[in-house]
Amino acid sequence: MKTFPFIYNEPREFLKSLQPKEWADFLLGEINPRFSTTAIKAKVVAVREETADTKTIVLKPNWLWKGFRSGQHVPVTVEIAGRRVTRFYSLSSHPKDKHLSITVKRQKGGLVSNFINQNIKKGDLLELGEASGEFVLPKMIPSKLLFLAGGSGITPIHSILKQLQSSKYDGKATLLYFVRSYEDVILRSSLEEIAKTTGWLNIRYIFSDVPKEGYDSGFLTKEILKKYTDDLKSYSVYVCGPAPMQTKALSLLEGNEVKSELFLLPGQTSLKVKKSGTVDVFLSLSHKTIQVKGERSLLEELEDQGIYPQSGCRMGICHTCVCKKAVGSVTDLSNGEVSELGEENIQICVSRAESNLELEL
């Protein structure tokens, strides 16, 4: 049985420990680990293997969960080696499903994705934040939709397709799913069930690495788009996948209404920069000065030195890692722009040091 840690030597520290919400969470947790007055805790009710490196985690959240819209993502926090780590994952389920689900693909060097695939099992608890994101359908749903998915970018699109199925959509939708091989198609049985039962969805798999007879091979091209659409300009387009695919899609679809959800791996925002020497970073809240090379994001270089600021998506979307820069200049890795030397708020997951810095950390 857990015990409440009475480790306070100073009266002020002891009084601070007597916070009603903290005591309530402790007592509720003794009754049921999913109970909390402050945190969205979700019990894992099932784990489904989608492919050799992808699993769907089915979750039953507590009463603090406020729901989501199809296409949105959610922060997921796990504890790894004593450290709380948060990543954002798209919800692959439909809002009206009995339980919500995330579908997580292992990534090379992916701390959380690998941990979830290797360790999370039925009965475990995950901590969630509130769902967010604008990769959603409008109130007036277009009569012609084109979905472009790459790899695990299929997850929010799958949720949107389930929404269309639930709402008895009567338009026309085409899904072009770019993936390495037939065996790597994520959520295949569910996608094909939607196509089979609705009649308005046309699915085309395009394999980049392992060709399969009867299927297209290669990457996104104008020819592929024209092959599977009639009057391309008339489609509203949703794109989710790796950065190179998104860049290509936006260049090919100029003039179309396009909504995109950038799918990046941690570190992909980093530019390949080789520098000589180091710069000083003064952390004003902890009264510490460290040296970094300025070759990667500040978040990565801080973590290399055992400093773990609060962070989330690690790709400049969630703004969890925003902090005040009082002095110095940084490069925004998402667009290559160099900041002014003065005071401003920066996202350390997509900021690289250009000069000596003072950060409110």
Side-chain angles (χ1 to χ4, degrees):
M1 179 178 175
K2 295 179 293 185
T3 58
F4 199 85
F6 290 101
I7 57 173
Y8 304 98
N9 297 318
E10 297 291 333
R12 183 181 298 175
E13 292 178 339
F14 175 73
L15 290 173
K16 187 178 179 181
S17 75
L18 299 177
Q19 297 297 318
K21 287 186 178 180
E22 292 179 6
W23 274 100
D25 272 3
F26 170 72
L27 295 173
L28 287 170
E30 290 296 312
I31 299 170
N32 186 323
R34 195 166 57 90
F35 292 172
S36 173
T37 62
T38 58
I40 303 171
K41 295 184 179 181
K43 182 178 181 180
V44 177
V45 296
V47 177
R48 297 196 298 264
E49 186 171 294
E50 301 290 346
T51 69
D53 59 2
T54 306
K55 290 181 178 178
T56 289
I57 313 299
V58 184
L59 301 165
K60 182 181 181 180
N62 64 15
W63 55 79
L64 295 179
W65 175 248
K66 296 179 181 179
F68 70 101
R69 295 176 65 187
S70 288
Q72 290 190 313
H73 47 255
V74 63
V76 179
T77 299
V78 296
E79 185 172 308
I80 302 176
R83 179 164 67 97
R84 284 167 55 84
V85 188
T86 303
R87 295 290 185 272
F88 278 66
Y89 293 102
S90 295
L91 290 145
S92 52
S93 52
H94 181 262
K96 291 184 180 179
D97 288 348
K98 182 178 180 180
H99 299 121
L100 60 92
S101 63
I102 57 173
T103 301
V104 181
K105 177 181 172 65
R106 287 178 182 265
Q107 306 293 348
K108 185 177 181 181
L111 177 65
V112 178
S113 66
N114 288 328
F115 178 85
I116 288 175
N117 272 270
Q118 292 170 0
N119 298 284
I120 296 301
K121 61 187 183 301
K122 184 178 179 180
D124 287 346
L125 286 179
L126 297 180
E127 184 174 321
L128 309 180
E130 292 186 10
S132 61
E134 299 302 318
F135 191 71
V136 296
L137 290 171
K139 288 184 179 180
M140 295 294 293
I141 299 176
S143 61
K144 296 172 75 173
L145 290 163
L146 173 62
F147 297 97
L148 304 178
S152 56
I154 190 62
T155 53
I157 290 175
H158 176 264
S159 180
I160 291 172
L161 291 173
K162 292 196 72 176
Q163 177 188 342
L164 293 170
Q165 181 185 33
S166 175
S167 63
K168 310 297 183 183
Y169 178 63
D170 60 357
K172 179 178 183 179
T174 298
L175 167 63
L176 303 184
Y177 186 5
F178 297 83
V179 66
R180 290 178 301 177
S181 69
Y182 186 76
E183 287 69 29
D184 292 303
V185 175
I186 299 169
L187 298 164
R188 184 173 68 223
S189 60
S190 180
L191 290 169
E192 294 176 358
E193 184 273 335
I194 294 171
K196 181 179 178 181
T197 57
T198 62
W200 47 254
L201 177 61
N202 179 27
I203 301 175
R204 296 294 173 177
Y205 304 128
I206 297 98
F207 303 123
S208 60
D209 293 6
V210 183
K212 184 176 177 64
E213 187 176 352
Y215 294 87
D216 291 285
S217 299
F219 300 92
L220 179 63
T221 63
K222 194 73 170 182
E223 289 68 32
I224 286 286
L225 290 174
K226 288 182 175 180
K227 182 176 180 179
Y228 294 113
T229 60
D230 56 308
D231 187 17
L232 180 58
K233 294 291 185 182
S234 64
Y235 283 78
S236 291
V237 187
Y238 283 72
V239 187
C240 187
M245 176 191 143
Q246 297 237 19
T247 301
K248 184 69 172 178
L250 292 174
S251 69
L252 295 175
L253 292 162
E254 189 174 351
N256 281 78
E257 181 184 345
V258 180
K259 186 167 284 191
S260 63
E261 178 90 318
L262 185 58
F263 177 73
L264 293 174
L265 310 182
Q268 271 190 317
T269 49
S270 298
L271 303 177
K272 294 182 178 179
V273 175
K274 187 67 178 176
K275 290 188 172 184
S276 58
T278 61
V279 298
D280 292 338
V281 180
F282 175 61
L283 308 178
S284 61
L285 298 183
S286 51
H287 304 287
K288 182 185 296 185
T289 299
I290 63 170
Q291 284 75 45
V292 302
K293 293 182 178 180
E295 295 179 342
R296 295 179 295 145
S297 74
L298 281 164
L299 178 59
E300 292 172 292
E301 295 202 287
L302 287 167
E303 289 178 339
D304 285 346
Q305 301 196 39
I307 300 168
Y308 300 101
Q310 188 174 10
S311 66
C313 67
R314 305 176 75 90
M315 60 183 74
I317 294 175
C318 71
H319 296 271
T320 303
C321 68
V322 168
C323 77
K324 182 180 287 185
K325 170 179 69 67
V327 175
S329 177
V330 297
T331 292
D332 186 331
L333 297 171
S334 66
N335 56 29
E337 294 182 0
V338 179
S339 73
E340 299 294 330
L341 294 171
E343 183 177 296
E344 63 179 336
N345 288 329
I346 64 170
Q347 294 173 267
I348 60 174
C349 73
V350 289
S351 295
R352 175 168 54 78
E354 289 294 344
S355 69
N356 291 343
L357 300 170
E358 180 180 328
L359 303 178
E360 198 172 274
L361 287 173

